[in-house]
Amino acid sequence: MSDVAALQQERNELFRAVHNSKIPKRVPISISIPFEAVAQFGGLDLVQAQWQPEIVAEAADRLCELIFSDTCPFFGSMRFPSFYQILDSQSFVMGSNGFIQHPEVTGMLPEDYDYLIEKPYDCLLERVIPRQYKALDLKDPVKMALTLTKSYLAYREDMGAAAPIIGMLTEKYGYSTIGGSFGGFTSAPFDFLADQLRGFKGISMDIRRMPEKVAAACEALYPIVFKQGLPANPSIYAPVMFPLHMPTFMREKDFARLWWPTFKRLVDEYASLGVRTQIFCEDDWTRYLDYLYELPTNTVMIFEYGDLRQIKDKLGKKHIITGLYPMTMLARESKEKCLDKAKEIIDVLAPGGKYIFQFDKQPLNAQDINIENYRAVVEYVRDNAVYSNPGEVHGLEFNPADYKAEPRRSFESKYFTVWEEFKARNPAVSEHGKEKLQNLEEILFQYLMYLLI
Amino acid sequence: MLDTDLLTKAVGDLDEDSVIKQLQEFAATNPSPEEAQKAVAACQSGMGIVGELFEQGEYFVGDLIFAGELLTNAVEILKPYLGGATSEKIGTIVLGTVAGDLHDIGKNIFKSMAEAAGFEVHDLGIDQPPGNFVEKVKEVKPEIVGMSGVLTLALESMKLTVDALRDAGLRDSIKVIIGGNPVTKEACEQIGADAFTTNAAEGVKICQGWVK
Ligand code: B12
């Protein structure tokens, strides 16, 4: 076996151990650097690079050369301008510096609640998407059909351009093929409603003005976000990723009755199918640690802020903890201070395993990345967060049989054609086409929902 | 007659129905500008309570947003009766989200709380280059410049903005406060701001301290 292949296997073992409640040889390290930062690091024009993603390959390679990580630091981008600009997006627009961002916009009005609750998917397609994407003008159907098709082709092309770069880097540097991979990406039902539908402001008004409708809307959205995240081939090594947004901005009372119930059930239903969950607890979740404890065993929890000791004590035996290293220190503090912080963090979080090293945020641009400090911190963790008892089982273990799915609404819509329906309308179609057609339906569903996440 | 204590309490409790009902009944009495001004002041005191409850961890960002909207609606009802009467202005703030950042939820919260505290706020908007801050400061001569940003890249823009204010010879005549998720003590020092906060209510207090 080549050195690189052996390295890759060793790294896979680190993640396999952590995901199976075993102590790894050392703390695995998972660094991710977004597309924008990679492009700027390479001295490329950010706007050009986002239109021609293949040109970042060399810069990504150089970064991988410089920064140690057990997973591939380059992961492409979630936000390319091609499809957003073709669709004339209101919700993802480019700032003066070339970064695509999300301004506070409203895709759904209070009077849309009843329709959303009755026919959620229809409401998203008929009302929300056209409001957020002005080029999808329902009054100009032919043009609209062409525009949507064009945007999908652009999406597929640009997303596709990043994949071979990741493949090349993974092979060249022997990155883990297990750590860092997701089975899916979706939102908590309440966050889905807040982010792109009602907006931060809208949802804050609704919580007080019409809480029953908010609760009903979360139930209605459940089957959609469930489907959006569900992996085609579940593996315990590929958890579904949820960035979590609204809880820290809510009172616990509102969180407990409006945010938590649908999320908890969703994650339990995934667990019953053997699908694990990774959550990004953005902002400071200290108030909610007891709730987090209740999630299925070995949920991967990325924290941004919080008290290390408290988090480890409350959650460390049941869940996998990561994050918490303040990324902004790297660009602003001396190397010594950065290393002290690394030591402080691994001293608390590493004992007993169930820990992956990661920063609390991704760097956004080249100024966030002080390569020297980055290297020093990551290498310190690699060389010092080493265990003496690898292989030992530690803490609770994940078992899908411990979870069950509660009754809930099913996913159905006239805009999602199931095979039987298609066959009834087109009797001539061959059974051989079934899988292909259902797959195409799925691809369209995923694309349309991507526009709202 | 309007019970100003009751109104203040309803605003503090974020009891929208009660606030609107009290103000509508009050409006029906066709109040004088002075009376209407008292009602505005009562609502503003209510906002002060909201800010305190936020600092105590009883209220959260969502509640501040709600409070801002409630105050706007309240003033809307009172406007026709205010005539020329204006409240005492305690200071002027030029506020904006810095270049490269399009976020404004936090900025808007700070703005409504600062206004409720009696500041005149000139809001530049989002993604504002340093030059726009400089121009506005020259024009309105504020005591305070507030900068907001959610993304880490905003820190660099904040620094460039302070540099631009210094280059224009304006830095010494103003206080600079920065706010938003990524700001820290260290960042504040590097940027050359006078104060930082990730808490709008605290920000208002700092500003009040400056204009005393
Ligand atoms: C909600 C949220 C979103 C929502 C935005 C919804 C909306 N309508 O704006 C959505 C889901 C769309 C989103 C998208 C993304 N996000 Co986001 N998001 C957040 C989150 C959870 C909260 C931000 C927020 O609005 N807070 C609420 C406001 C009110 O707080 P605030 O701005 O701090 O304001 C308060 C104080 O600071 C103060 N204040 C603010 N300004 C001022 C000014 C003055 C003068 C004063 C005195 C006070 C003051 O007053 C306010 C009240 O107290 C943060 C996490 C976090 N820790 O903040 C991530 C975060 C900002 N997002 C992040 C990222 C990476 C993204 C994405 C790029 C992800 C992606 N790949 O698509 C996208 C697009 C970028 C974008 N945001 O445009 C990162 C940024 C990382 C970085 N290095 O900067 C963060 C930090 C999460 C993380 N830990 O990685 N996001």
Side-chain angles (χ1 to χ4, degrees):
Chain A
M1 201 188 312
S2 73
D3 287 356
V4 174
L7 182 61
Q8 185 169 66
Q9 216 171 61
E10 194 183 309
R11 285 171 160 160
N12 279 344
E13 276 315 311
L14 298 176
F15 286 100
R16 245 183 234 124
V18 173
H19 286 304
N20 284 307
S21 303
K22 293 201 180 99
I23 306 277
K25 268 194 180 151
R26 63 170 171 80
V27 168
I29 297 171
S30 186
I31 301 299
S32 5
I33 303 192
F35 188 91
E36 295 89 336
V38 174
Q40 290 191 328
F41 168 77
L44 301 169
D45 178 73
L46 178 54
V47 178
Q48 186 193 355
Q50 289 181 101
W51 281 94
Q52 300 164 354
E54 43 315 321
I55 69 172
V56 303
E58 197 199 315
D61 192 350
R62 266 201 295 136
L63 257 182
C64 291
E65 187 89 47
L66 286 172
I67 294 180
F68 180 88
S69 174
D70 293 313
T71 58
C72 185
F74 179 76
F75 61 89
S77 173
M78 286 185 63
R79 318 267 174 226
F80 288 108
S82 57
F83 52 97
Y84 290 126
Q85 291 187 353
I86 287 169
L87 291 173
D88 193 5
S89 175
Q90 309 297 292
S91 49
F92 291 100
V93 293
M94 199 181 265
S96 59
N97 50 0
F99 278 80
I100 298 191
Q101 302 182 40
H102 176 85
E104 168 77 351
V105 281
T106 301
M108 177 190 148
L109 307 175
E111 50 270 32
D112 294 325
Y113 265 110
D114 290 337
Y115 191 41
L116 182 85
I117 291 163
E118 188 198 342
K119 292 185 172 165
Y121 194 58
D122 298 17
C123 178
L124 297 179
L125 267 49
E126 291 169 9
R127 298 188 188 176
V128 178
I129 292 182
R131 228 175 252 140
Q132 296 288 32
Y133 295 93
K134 294 292 179 215
L136 297 179
D137 181 357
L138 300 177
K139 290 195 208 83
D140 196 352
V142 175
K143 189 99 191 185
M144 190 205 65
L146 294 173
T147 303
L148 182 64
T149 311
K150 188 163 53 175
S151 77
Y152 176 70
L153 293 173
Y155 166 82
R156 202 177 60 172
E157 191 173 315
D158 289 349
M159 292 295 179
I165 305 179
I166 301 171
M168 178 272 285
L169 297 170
T170 302
E171 207 138 291
K172 180 168 172 189
Y173 294 96
Y175 291 126
S176 172
T177 48
I178 288 182
S181 55
F182 297 135
F185 189 96
T186 189
S187 313
F190 187 102
D191 285 344
F192 189 92
L193 179 66
D195 290 347
Q196 306 268 335
L197 272 52
R198 294 292 293 126
F200 212 112
K201 180 166 161 194
I203 198 77
S204 301
M205 308 309 289
D206 300 347
I207 288 173
R208 284 172 179 273
R209 285 184 180 159
M210 47 187 105
E212 310 76 30
K213 293 204 175 178
V214 172
C218 291
E219 295 292 342
L221 290 168
Y222 181 120
I224 294 175
V225 294
F226 178 87
K227 184 177 174 60
Q228 186 174 16
L230 188 69
N233 306 301
S235 147
I236 75 148
Y237 299 120
V240 175
M241 171 72 183
F242 290 77
L244 304 182
H245 285 134
M246 291 306 294
T248 61
F249 306 118
M250 300 165 70
R251 291 181 298 176
E252 181 177 345
K253 183 174 121 196
D254 297 326
F255 166 83
R257 69 182 168 148
L258 298 175
W259 195 97
W260 181 251
T262 40
F263 175 69
K264 171 74 165 66
R265 269 164 37 218
L266 180 68
V267 169
D268 278 351
E269 184 170 351
Y270 277 158
S272 74
L273 302 170
V275 174
R276 290 177 48 240
T277 296
Q278 168 159 324
I279 55 178
F280 186 2
C281 301
E282 299 189 23
D283 198 25
D284 187 341
W285 278 63
T286 304
R287 291 191 281 144
Y288 296 126
L289 296 183
D290 291 332
Y291 290 88
L292 293 181
Y293 184 82
E294 297 304 323
L295 294 177
T297 304
N298 283 347
T299 296
V300 182
M301 301 181 174
I302 313 171
F303 288 96
E304 189 174 357
Y305 308 123
D307 180 70
L308 301 173
R309 176 52 62 200
Q310 197 183 4
I311 289 173
K312 182 71 176 179
D313 287 350
K314 279 225 160 127
L315 305 172
K317 288 206 168 54
K318 186 171 180 190
H319 298 299
I320 298 167
I321 297 170
T322 175
L324 288 164
Y325 189 109
M327 190 272 298
T328 45
M329 274 188 75
L330 298 178
R332 292 172 200 280
E333 302 277 4
S334 67
K335 195 196 266 180
E336 289 64 43
K337 276 207 178 153
C338 292
L339 289 179
D340 288 348
K341 191 73 189 172
K343 180 170 184 333
E344 179 194 333
I345 287 183
I346 58 178
D347 281 353
V348 178
L349 296 182
K354 289 198 192 258
Y355 171 58
I356 296 167
F357 181 85
Q358 188 174 191
F359 295 104
D360 69 332
K361 309 182 183 33
Q362 291 163 4
L364 272 191
N365 62 10
Q367 265 126 15
D368 281 342
I369 314 180
N370 173 329
I371 292 282
E372 208 183 311
N373 285 350
Y374 236 94
R375 289 185 70 162
V377 165
V378 172
E379 288 170 14
Y380 178 87
V381 175
R382 177 193 64 195
D383 299 337
N384 291 281
V386 177
Y387 292 98
S388 58
N389 55 342
E392 255 175 44
V393 174
H394 187 85
L396 303 180
E397 292 180 79
F398 173 65
N399 179 4
D402 296 341
Y403 305 92
K404 66 175 201 305
E406 302 282 337
R408 61 161 172 99
R409 287 174 64 157
S410 57
F411 177 80
E412 50 195 56
S413 162
K414 66 177 179 218
Y415 299 123
F416 189 90
T417 315
V418 293
W419 169 249
E420 291 68 28
E421 226 180 296
F422 189 82
K423 179 108 175 129
R425 248 188 303 121
N426 308 274
V429 72
S430 159
E431 284 289 325
H432 292 298
K434 180 174 171 182
E435 208 183 310
K436 176 170 286 178
L437 285 169
Q438 234 25 135
N439 191 36
L440 291 173
E441 204 67 45
E442 200 60 44
I443 290 173
L444 282 182
F445 168 85
Q446 290 292 345
Y447 178 57
L448 291 165
M449 289 308 98
Y450 195 87
L451 296 177
L452 294 180
I453 196 165
Chain B
M1 245 327 271
L2 181 74
D3 182 340
T4 48
D5 288 347
L6 206 64
L7 180 59
T8 298
K9 182 173 178 321
V11 173
D13 290 345
L14 296 179
D15 185 345
E16 185 176 36
D17 292 343
S18 167
V19 172
I20 301 298
K21 189 160 159 277
Q22 289 186 52
L23 288 177
Q24 276 167 349
E25 284 171 11
F26 175 63
T29 66
N30 200 12
S32 70
E34 290 68 34
E35 285 170 331
Q37 190 50 53
K38 275 196 191 127
V40 172
C43 291
Q44 290 177 335
S45 310
M47 278 298 270
I49 298 178
V50 170
E52 270 160 39
L53 290 172
F54 174 71
E55 282 199 275
Q56 290 162 18
E58 295 276 327
Y59 282 161
F60 295 91
V61 163
D63 306 299
L64 295 185
I65 295 174
F66 186 86
E69 189 72 9
L70 181 61
L71 190 70
T72 309
N73 293 343
V75 172
E76 209 54 48
I77 297 177
L78 295 169
K79 235 183 215 153
Y81 309 97
L82 278 169
T86 47
S87 54
E88 190 74 22
K89 173 181 108 178
I90 66 167
T92 305
I93 302 177
V94 167
L95 178 68
T97 301
V98 294
D101 202 324
L102 306 188
H103 294 85
D104 59 3
I105 303 169
K107 174 190 68 94
N108 294 344
I109 293 174
F110 173 70
K111 179 183 171 187
S112 62
M113 294 181 76
E115 283 177 342
F119 283 98
E120 179 180 316
V121 181
H122 295 265
D123 184 358
L124 295 169
I126 55 177
D127 202 352
Q128 290 298 312
N132 290 8
F133 279 90
V134 170
E135 283 313 307
K136 201 71 189 174
V137 169
K138 281 188 185 155
E139 182 194 326
V140 304
K141 305 196 171 40
E143 290 88 3
I144 297 164
V145 170
M147 296 189 277
S148 181
V150 161
L151 305 174
T152 45
L153 56 83
L155 299 176
E156 185 63 21
S157 299
M158 288 175 178
K159 183 164 171 13
L160 295 175
T161 308
V162 173
D163 291 349
L165 289 166
R166 187 172 300 120
D167 292 346
L170 300 165
R171 179 67 187 85
D172 295 336
S173 58
I174 49 168
K175 292 280 190 186
V176 175
I177 182 165
I178 56 174
N181 174 50
V183 307
T184 58
K185 184 164 157 283
E186 292 74 26
C188 179
E189 280 161 16
Q190 282 199 359
I191 288 164
D194 298 298
F196 75 99
T197 181
T198 53
N199 176 325
E202 185 187 70
V204 171
K205 280 197 183 153
I206 296 172
C207 293
Q208 283 169 329
W210 283 338
V211 295
K212 252 195 207 126

